[in-house]
Amino acid sequence: MTEATRSADGTADASVDVAAEGARIAASIGRVVQGKDQVVRLALVVLLAEGHLLIEDVPGVGKTTLAKALAGSVDASVRRIQFTPDLLPSDVTGVAVYDQETRAFEFKPGAIFANVVVADEINRASPKTQSALLECMEERQVTVDGVSYELARPFLVMATQNPLEMEGTYPLPEAQRDRFTARVSMGYPDPAAELAMLDDRSTADPLTALRPVADAALVRSLVAAVGRVHVAEAVRRYVVALVEATRRSPDLRLGASPRAGLQLLRAARASAALDGRDHVLPDDVQALAVPVLAHRLLLAGEAVVARRSAEQIVASLVSSVPVSRGR
C-alpha cells in the first residue's frame, strides 16, 4: 500500500485516489459504528484536514467506539488517555527523569506521542491537565524543560466529552475548543441500527475483528493530495464573510477566530477530495460551517434567554450570507 502511494524519492504520489481510499476507511469504520455515515465522514474530513475532533454526547452512544474504530482502521501508533481528575499534565506530555547511571535527565515521552490519540472524557480532567494539549494540538510539538520534541505525522486528537450538566466535568476553555477543527454529536442510533448492534455484539466485539485498511504513510499522501485541491478566490471570500458574520452577530459575544476560517477551508478541501473533486464548492463550506464553527462561539445573554443554540445561529448565518461570485 505504501509503495503504491509513494514515488521513488519518497514524496507524496499525486496519483493517490482520495475518494477511493477514503471510502475504504469509512467502510471499515462503518462495520463498527453503524448507521452514522455522516459522523464517520466528518471524522475522515478532520483526519485529512490535519485537524482534531471533539465528540460530545451522553454516555453510551459510541463516542469512544468511533475513536477506536478510526484508530483501528489506520495502521499507525495509537494511544488512549483516560482523563480523570487526578491525571497530571506530565502524564500526557511526558517528563524528564534523572538517570543515576548517566547523571543526566532523560526524557520519558508521554501518551501524546502517537499518530492517533484518543482523549477519553477529556472534560473530567482539571483545566491544568487539559491545557497540556494546547501546544501539542496547535504546534505538533511538546516542550519540556525548555526542549521541544516533534510529534509524529499524521497527528490526530480525537477527544470525547460528556455534556457539561454531567457530574464531575470541567468545561473546556475557549482556547482549547478553538483548537478542535470540528465538534460532532453521535446521537442515538435509529431502531434498525440499534437492532443490528444487538445482534452483532451479542457474542463478540466487532472492534476486535477490525483490521487496518490504511497506514500512516498513506494518510500523509492523502493529506498532501487534499492540500492540492483548488480553492477559488470567490470561495475564500465566502469563508471570510461567514467568519466575519459571526463577529457581527448580536446573538454572539464571541465570534469565530481567524483559526476557525483556516480550519473551515481545510475541512472544505478534504470534503471536496472525498467527493472526488479537485476544487472546493460553496456547498462544501456550507455543509461544514456548523460542525466547524459552532463550538467556538459564545452566546450573548439574549440568545441564552431565547434558548437559541450556537448551531442554530450558524445555520441562520449560512442561509443569510450571500455566496461570493467570481472565479
Side-chain angles (χ1 to χ4, degrees), residues 104-167:
F105 284 93
E106 180 183 355
F107 178 66
K108 299 293 185 181
I112 199 67
F113 284 84
N115 293 116
V116 180
V117 177
V118 181
D120 210 4
E121 295 188 297
I122 188 173
N123 62 337
R124 289 204 182 279
S126 68
K128 181 179 180 180
T129 301
Q130 292 173 9
S131 66
L133 290 171
L134 292 176
E135 181 186 15
C136 309
M137 295 172 67
E138 179 64 18
E139 302 175 41
R140 263 68 173 183
Q141 69 176 26
V142 172
T143 302
V144 177
D145 293 338
V147 180
S148 297
Y149 304 90
E150 291 285 333
L151 295 172
R153 294 291 183 97
F155 175 65
L156 169 70
V157 173
M158 297 187 70
T160 69
Q161 174 175 258
N162 293 308
L164 294 181
E165 59 268 17
M166 304 292 290
E167 296 222 3

Side-chain angles (χ1 to χ4, degrees), residues 22 49 65 81-82 87 93 96 105 109 112 132 144 186 214 218 227 229 242 263 265 267 274 278 280 306 312 317 323:
T65 300
I81 309 173
Q82 181 65 55
L87 189 74
T93 60
F105 284 93
I112 199 67
V144 177
M186 297 292 294
L218 175 61
V229 173
L242 275 178
Q263 295 190 348
L265 191 57
L274 287 172
D278 63 354
V280 176
Q312 291 172 330
L317 293 175
V323 178

Side-chain angles (χ1 to χ4, degrees), residues 32-250:
V32 178
V33 183
Q34 298 175 333
K36 296 293 178 183
D37 294 344
Q38 292 303 312
V39 175
V40 171
R41 178 185 170 87
L42 182 60
L44 266 181
V45 164
V46 171
L47 173 66
L48 300 187
E50 287 194 294
H52 308 288
L53 182 64
L54 180 61
I55 312 168
E56 179 179 322
D57 218 318
V58 297
V61 295
K63 301 187 299 294
T64 306
T65 300
L66 171 63
K68 285 184 174 180
L70 188 147
S73 299
V74 178
D75 186 13
S77 57
V78 179
R79 297 290 294 273
R80 178 176 179 269
I81 309 173
Q82 181 65 55
F83 279 72
T84 56
D86 60 347
L87 189 74
L88 298 175
S90 58
D91 296 328
V92 176
T93 60
V95 65
V97 178
Y98 185 74
D99 190 325
Q100 293 281 2
E101 294 183 1
T102 63
R103 295 186 179 181
F105 284 93
E106 180 183 355
F107 178 66
K108 299 293 185 181
I112 199 67
F113 284 84
N115 293 116
V116 180
V117 177
V118 181
D120 210 4
E121 295 188 297
I122 188 173
N123 62 337
R124 289 204 182 279
S126 68
K128 181 179 180 180
T129 301
Q130 292 173 9
S131 66
L133 290 171
L134 292 176
E135 181 186 15
C136 309
M137 295 172 67
E138 179 64 18
E139 302 175 41
R140 263 68 173 183
Q141 69 176 26
V142 172
T143 302
V144 177
D145 293 338
V147 180
S148 297
Y149 304 90
E150 291 285 333
L151 295 172
R153 294 291 183 97
F155 175 65
L156 169 70
V157 173
M158 297 187 70
T160 69
Q161 174 175 258
N162 293 308
L164 294 181
E165 59 268 17
M166 304 292 290
E167 296 222 3
T169 59
Y170 300 85
L172 293 179
E174 291 80 3
Q176 185 89 60
R177 294 201 307 271
D178 197 43
R179 280 164 168 76
F180 284 101
T181 300
R183 179 182 65 183
V184 65
S185 294
M186 297 292 294
Y188 292 112
D190 59 58
E194 193 162 7
L195 181 61
M197 181 186 70
L198 293 178
D199 292 336
D200 294 343
R201 304 190 183 191
S202 58
T203 57
D205 185 352
L207 276 171
T208 60
L210 201 61
R211 296 294 178 266
V213 296
D215 58 16
L218 175 61
V219 173
R220 288 193 293 270
S221 294
L222 295 175
V223 169
V226 165
R228 293 189 293 270
V229 173
H230 175 68
V231 182
E233 182 179 353
V235 176
R236 295 197 297 271
R237 289 183 180 276
Y238 181 54
V239 170
V240 171
L242 275 178
V243 172
E244 281 283 345
T246 65
R247 299 167 188 165
R248 297 192 308 267
S249 173

Side-chain angles (χ1 to χ4, degrees), residues 303-327:
V304 174
V305 171
R307 295 188 177 181
R308 298 193 67 193
S309 67
E311 288 79 6
Q312 291 172 330
I313 293 170
V314 173
S316 176
L317 293 175
V318 168
S319 64
S320 62
V321 174
V323 178
S324 301
R325 300 297 177 185
R327 299 180 63 83

